[in-house]
Amino acid sequence: MDPKLLDDCVHCGFCLPTCPTYQLWGEEMDSPRGRIWLMKATVDGTLELDRTVSERFDRCLGCMACLTSCPSGVQYDRLIELARERVEEEVPRPWRERLLRKVVFALFPYPKRISFALRFASLPAPGPFRPLAELAPPWRERVAPPMVTPARGEKIARVGLLTGCVQSVLFGEVNKATARALAAYGYEVVTPYNECCGALALHAGHREDGHDAANRAYDAFKAAGVDVIVTNAAGCGSHMKDAHLDIPVRDVSELLAAGNAPELHPLPYRVAFQESCHLGHAQRVREEPRAALRSIPGLELLEPADQEICCGSAGIYNLVQPDAARELGNRKAGAVLATTPEIVATANPGCAIQLAASLRRAGTPLPVVHPVELIDAAITGSWEPKSRRHAP
Amino acid sequence: MRAALPQDALLEDEASRRTYECDGLTGRRSVPDLVILPGTVDEVRAAVRLCHAHGVPFVARGAGTGLSGGSLPVAEGVVIGLSRLDAILDIDLARGRVVVQPGVTNLAVTKAVSSAGWYYAPDPSSQQVCTIGGNVAENSGGAHCLKHGFTVNHVMAADVVLPDGELVTLSRDDSGPDLLGLFVGSEGTLGIVVSATLRLLRTPQAVRTWLAGFESTDKAGDAVSQIISSGILPSAIEMMDSLTIAAAEAAVSAGYPKGAGAVLLVEVDGPLAQVDDDSAAIEAICRACGAFEMRAADTVEERARLWKGRKSAFAAVGRISPNYYVQDGVVPRTKLPEVLRSIAALEAEHGLRIGNVFHAGDGNLHPLVLYDAAIEGQSELAEKVAVKILDLCIEAGGSLTGEHGVGVDKACSMPKLFGADDLGVMLRVRDAIDPAGISNPGKVFPTPRLCGEVPGPYRVHPLERAGLADRF
């Protein structure tokens, strides 16, 4: 680990109130400041990196709320990534954890396998796999946007849509809506790459796997001659942006903001927007998705309290730390429901699954959608909320 | 403790205890033997009673943001962390009161009542994270305490666990000596606050912030004195010098006047008519004192933009210097220009840059001594300069600390300000309430042991460097 990165932290504690695990347990070692302190101690050799230490890193959601609240510019994203890499190399995990992680990484990056596994989601799951089954949405037919969607009107750019692994299986409709919306805003949309971008692996300490996957994605987009890579999953977007590719990477909302907006039909609904951590904290894209939603006539945009606190999804966190994730999900559902929405919008598949499961537990299974689906609906003028139940 | 408290309230493993070894003053560290995170007042009492029965020292801790080492643990002692006592117990807007547990953050109090048009006035820069318990212990201030006063002016009552475990309620309504006033600011040496009744203020009708650029801190200092002596009481008067202006510009592009040797931020609040009157007077005074650029902001967003540079100043200075030492001293307002000149002389004499950013309205200085710990001898020099700045404050008729507390950091300087008799009286009061000396020992009062050690940032001892000794 780089001592320079660690020295940036002046121990002021501004990260504590926005850290989900500090909110849950009020323990210093489960806060960014505490984790950095532990990293320092293991680097200067005064503390051994063992299970009691690595558990503290495991419990971090990687939501990056601390990046936003830090006044000193500490690169916590890099630090936790490096710490996790060290943990994977140096600290053996108990067999149950090893097995679960193995299954997760053998499953999620591969769309076909997720699709296959979903058929069995309703069967009783043994011990460590129970959270997987609890969160899983029902199996459904996979849908995908066409390989090429021509721009409507004057073409602004040729963009490559990363359809993703989880997104392409569970939220194919989101990908289709993204392609249609971008086309309507003046972009030619192609989909040359339909596998995992490596975000899940990298955020869990498998840095090389993460970078390899990002490079494979890059090669496919390069070969397809795209001007911009566009993502509609916040976690993937953050990972692709951090990979420093020589093709610009943008979130779909950023392209909508820069596009030629068509006329939109009214959607008279109360919509609670839950900011995804990897969109807000990691990519610092906050205004664009809200602006897109506000541009829909008749739509009332609602902001739940504690917007900066993670919903508990956090990549594979709700699978490997189910108790903390469930509690954070319950709190999030409470904050969302307090705004009395009719629809919930969020810009990441993980958040959508987690929010839907949390709302279901709260007995209020509202439709959970990606903002771009509402834009798409406003373009075509066809939206029937009652019939839509994303990840019910 | 295992028998008296739930398992999840005790942190026993080394890694967990290590993360509690210091607060915001990271140079001073001590790993506690046990960290206790009580979930109820009864658990706080149980822990304190056991400490009392066995003569074990305990240190209360909120969010650990203090800059004077007030919650530095005691070796072979216990840390009692109040982070889990974070409930707002009662909001009574008819009386303008709120009752909170000690782990509630300062900003959370305002957030809970702001939609109804109320706020909690003390606003330390760390208000988003620092807790009411710590605010009560340190009698915290903030930029706006010039008009609205410190924490002591806003605490109406407090439930306190005394060092023997007894639970008492101290209130402003009590007859006899002001024990509540004694407790607020006692830096954890008289017990642990477990709930506080706070006074709320109505959100003012109007707030206006003025930014004024001056050629020099002398001219800006003149303006400060004249504003106060004219009878206007702004809610805040903040000053930054050219070094901190440059740092803030580099970090957040605050948009401060180009070429300014000093900027003043002056904020007035109250009824709109009064804000208008005060504003006109402030503008006239600043211009007469040589302000070459003035801007006013009324809306929340515009005011936030003007404040941004000031609020980011500490962190911003961290970006232009590898290390810095924050000092906290007070001087009479009229002595500001003189003391600032003496600080500049120290800068020239020792070759270290010193940035000045401070609450000018009440003469509370926060000089930042910039240094590079990687250069041998610089951290010692920085500390020496910081202590000399305190000496300047005392010579000018000021005080050791405006709002960061004495803690361990300034305990050794106490005899410079107080005579043996003064200190003796303070110790007798402390002994009356904590005869065993187990509640946050080693803080505030100088002891020979403490003064043999140097406060400030951690440095590798020459013996350690030579491999002849270990730190333990």
Side-chain angles (χ1 to χ4, degrees):
Chain A
M1 300 199 60
D2 189 345
K4 275 225 162 66
L5 288 178
L6 288 168
D7 283 347
D8 286 342
C9 175
V10 300
H11 214 254
C12 69
F14 274 48
C15 51
L16 301 188
T18 58
C19 176
T21 53
Y22 188 79
Q23 278 220 337
L24 282 183
W25 304 310
E27 296 172 351
E28 179 74 21
M29 63 283 181
D30 283 313
S31 74
R33 180 175 68 177
R35 292 187 184 106
I36 291 173
W37 200 250
L38 291 175
M39 290 175 202
K40 275 186 184 171
T42 58
V43 166
D44 69 23
T46 55
L47 190 68
E48 198 191 335
L49 176 58
D50 59 12
R51 283 291 297 159
T52 58
V53 177
S54 69
E55 250 175 58
R56 306 306 174 184
F57 302 150
D58 282 357
R59 286 180 174 191
C60 166
L61 293 111
C63 70
M64 303 305 149
C66 49
L67 286 187
T68 303
S69 53
C70 177
S72 309
V74 173
Q75 297 175 51
Y76 183 83
D77 47 347
R78 294 282 158 274
L79 286 171
I80 192 69
E81 207 175 287
L82 293 168
R84 292 200 153 133
E85 200 180 351
R86 260 190 83 195
V87 168
E88 292 310 311
E89 282 165 10
E90 296 174 28
V91 188
R93 292 182 182 282
W95 71 268
R96 282 166 71 98
E97 271 184 42
R98 278 208 309 274
L99 179 67
L100 176 62
R101 279 171 188 258
K102 262 220 160 78
V103 169
V104 165
F105 285 110
L107 184 63
F108 278 104
Y110 306 101
K112 282 188 187 132
R113 295 185 196 172
I114 308 177
S115 191
F116 181 73
L118 267 184
R119 290 172 183 266
F120 303 100
S122 55
L123 298 179
F129 300 112
R130 217 164 282 144
L132 255 175
E134 187 186 315
L135 287 162
W139 185 85
R140 66 183 86 160
E141 202 65 54
R142 258 183 96 177
V143 294
M147 285 294 288
V148 181
T149 310
R152 264 207 253 160
E154 196 185 333
K155 182 170 104 179
I156 302 172
R158 178 177 163 91
V159 301
L161 172 61
L162 176 71
T163 52
C165 46
V166 176
Q167 188 86 306
S168 73
V169 177
L170 302 181
F171 300 97
E173 287 294 347
V174 175
N175 282 335
K176 287 176 72 175
T178 305
R180 282 194 300 261
L182 286 172
Y185 277 68
Y187 300 94
E188 179 189 23
V189 185
V190 296
T191 57
Y193 185 79
N194 303 297
E195 302 291 326
C196 175
C197 65
L200 282 179
L202 180 110
H203 294 151
H206 301 282
R207 194 149 64 117
E208 270 187 30
D209 294 351
H211 286 165
D212 290 350
N215 286 330
R216 279 199 300 279
Y218 168 77
D219 290 342
F221 286 116
K222 189 84 185 168
V226 305
D227 305 313
V228 178
I229 297 170
V230 57
T231 64
N232 56 15
C236 310
S238 152
H239 173 58
M240 294 296 285
K241 283 182 177 178
D242 283 350
H244 302 296
L245 310 174
D246 63 15
I247 306 174
V249 179
R250 296 284 179 272
D251 183 71
V252 55
S253 61
E254 293 178 275
L255 290 189
L256 293 181
N260 301 321
E263 197 182 327
L264 299 177
H265 295 88
L267 291 182
Y269 298 108
R270 293 170 59 83
V271 177
F273 176 65
Q274 172 53 43
E275 188 169 274
S276 296
C277 296
H278 273 91
L279 197 58
H281 298 308
Q283 297 187 48
R284 296 186 173 84
V285 174
R286 296 194 169 90
E287 182 46 34
E288 289 86 347
R290 291 175 165 88
L293 289 171
R294 274 197 299 265
S295 73
I296 299 173
L299 187 148
E300 191 182 346
L301 180 63
L302 309 167
E303 295 279 346
D306 297 328
Q307 188 71 270
E308 73 281 8
I309 301 288
C310 178
C311 66
S313 168
I316 62 167
Y317 192 86
N318 47 8
L319 304 177
V320 294
Q321 300 278 342
D323 296 339
R326 195 173 301 120
E327 176 57 31
L328 288 170
N330 292 344
R331 292 183 184 197
K332 187 55 77 185
V336 167
L337 290 174
T339 65
T340 60
E342 294 163 279
I343 299 171
V344 181
T346 187
N348 189 53
C351 312
I353 294 174
Q354 170 82 355
L355 271 171
S358 307
L359 290 169
R360 208 158 57 216
R361 269 200 308 277
T364 317
L366 295 173
V368 179
V369 301
H370 191 291
V372 79
E373 290 183 278
L374 294 171
I375 291 289
D376 178 49
I379 293 167
T380 59
S382 62
W383 173 255
E384 293 163 40
K386 298 294 176 226
S387 67
R388 298 286 300 269
R389 286 282 188 272
H390 266 284
Chain B
M1 290 292 184
R2 286 197 192 111
L5 294 163
Q7 179 60 40
D8 78 339
L10 302 175
L11 306 180
E12 299 178 49
D13 67 283
E14 187 195 354
S16 298
R17 288 185 289 113
R18 271 297 291 276
T19 60
Y20 285 84
E21 69 183 319
C22 63
D23 55 15
L25 184 77
T26 54
R28 297 297 300 266
R29 303 173 195 173
S30 174
V31 184
D33 270 6
L34 180 66
V35 177
I36 301 174
L37 301 176
T40 64
V41 173
D42 281 344
E43 287 172 20
V44 177
R45 295 187 68 189
V48 170
R49 260 196 233 110
L50 279 168
C51 286
H52 182 250
H54 298 275
V56 175
F58 63 86
V59 177
R61 175 183 163 116
T65 58
L67 293 170
S68 60
S71 57
L72 176 75
V74 179
E76 296 178 3
V78 166
V79 164
I80 301 178
L82 285 312
S83 55
R84 290 180 181 168
L85 290 179
D86 63 350
I88 295 179
L89 300 173
D90 185 41
I91 298 176
D92 183 353
L93 293 181
R95 294 176 61 231
R97 299 281 188 274
V98 53
V99 183
V100 300
Q101 290 191 310
V104 172
T105 64
N106 174 296
L107 193 59
V109 177
T110 290
K111 274 188 176 173
V113 296
S114 60
S115 61
W118 295 80
Y119 77 113
Y120 178 60
D123 62 338
S125 312
S126 57
Q127 67 178 153
Q128 68 186 77
V129 50
C130 66
T131 59
I132 293 299
N135 287 182
V136 170
E138 300 290 327
N139 189 18
S140 303
H144 294 83
C145 59
L146 174 63
K147 177 174 181 179
H148 300 295
F150 282 72
T151 301
V152 70
N153 304 108
H154 298 270
V155 178
M156 308 310 286
D159 285 352
V160 172
V161 174
L162 296 177
D164 61 0
E166 191 188 342
L167 181 68
V168 296
T169 300
L170 307 176
S171 167
R172 283 216 182 165
D173 302 333
D174 293 343
S175 42
D178 179 11
L179 294 176
L180 178 63
L182 174 69
F183 186 82
V184 177
S186 60
E187 302 197 16
T189 59
L190 302 181
I192 301 177
V193 59
V194 289
S195 94
T197 303
L198 308 175
R199 182 168 72 107
L200 300 170
L201 299 186
R202 290 311 298 256
T203 312
Q205 184 191 11
V207 181
R208 188 165 302 153
T209 306
W210 283 94
L211 174 79
F214 293 84
E215 269 167 40
S216 66
T217 49
D218 273 12
K219 291 187 173 173
D222 267 352
V224 173
S225 290
Q226 288 195 31
I227 289 170
I228 301 285
S229 58
S230 75
I232 299 169
L233 186 53
S235 53
I237 306 182
E238 301 286 305
M239 197 196 295
M240 293 167 72
D241 70 358
S242 55
L243 182 67
T244 45
I245 295 169
E249 281 298 324
V252 298
S253 311
Y256 287 165
K258 292 213 164 34
V263 295
L264 281 187
L265 278 167
V266 185
E267 191 161 286
V268 281
D269 66 19
L272 182 59
Q274 188 197 336
V275 165
D276 282 341
D277 279 2
D278 288 352
S279 285
I282 287 166
E283 187 176 6
I285 291 171
C286 286
R287 294 223 187 262
C289 291
F292 62 83
E293 188 175 332
M294 292 200 70
R295 271 180 253 157
D298 279 352
T299 68
V300 174
E301 294 77 26
E302 285 173 351
R303 283 191 277 121
R305 213 168 304 138
L306 293 188
W307 274 102
K308 195 172 170 192
R310 167 64 185 88
K311 296 214 167 174
S312 68
F314 281 19
V317 166
R319 290 184 193 212
I320 62 165
S321 169
N323 307 89
Y324 64 94
Y325 196 109
V326 187
Q327 190 53 285
D328 168 44
V330 186
V331 298
R333 210 163 25 232
T334 48
K335 298 279 182 69
L336 269 176
E338 178 190 322
V339 171
L340 287 174
R341 275 195 298 275
S342 304
I343 291 177
L346 281 178
E347 202 174 5
E349 183 187 340
H350 295 284
L352 289 182
R353 292 183 295 167
I354 303 174
N356 286 292
V357 46
F358 50 93
H359 312 307
D362 42 18
N364 185 186
L365 301 175
H366 288 312
L368 303 162
V369 184
L370 277 52
Y371 67 97
D372 183 351
I375 299 173
E376 176 129 12
Q378 272 218 349
S379 44
E380 288 85 351
L381 183 62
E383 196 182 298
K384 202 169 115 187
V385 172
V387 172
K388 281 192 176 177
I389 293 175
L390 270 195
D391 294 347
L392 288 175
C393 293
I394 295 172
E395 280 163 27
S399 165
L400 282 176
T401 169
E403 54 190 4
H404 294 178
V406 177
V408 287
D409 192 35
K410 294 175 180 173
C412 289
S413 296
M414 286 287 275
K416 293 178 184 169
L417 186 61
F418 299 103
D421 289 348
D422 304 326
L423 288 170
V425 169
M426 291 184 209
L427 276 169
R428 275 165 60 201
V429 171
R430 195 256 166 97
D431 285 348
I433 296 170
D434 180 20
I438 56 170
S439 189
N440 210 11
K443 313 293 162 62
V444 185
F445 304 105
T447 64
R449 178 190 64 78
L450 192 76
C451 291
E453 295 169 3
V454 258
Y458 167 77
R459 275 118 346 143
V460 182
H461 190 275
L463 282 176
E464 279 181 282
R465 204 178 296 118
L468 297 172
D470 287 328
R471 191 167 288 259
F472 55 86

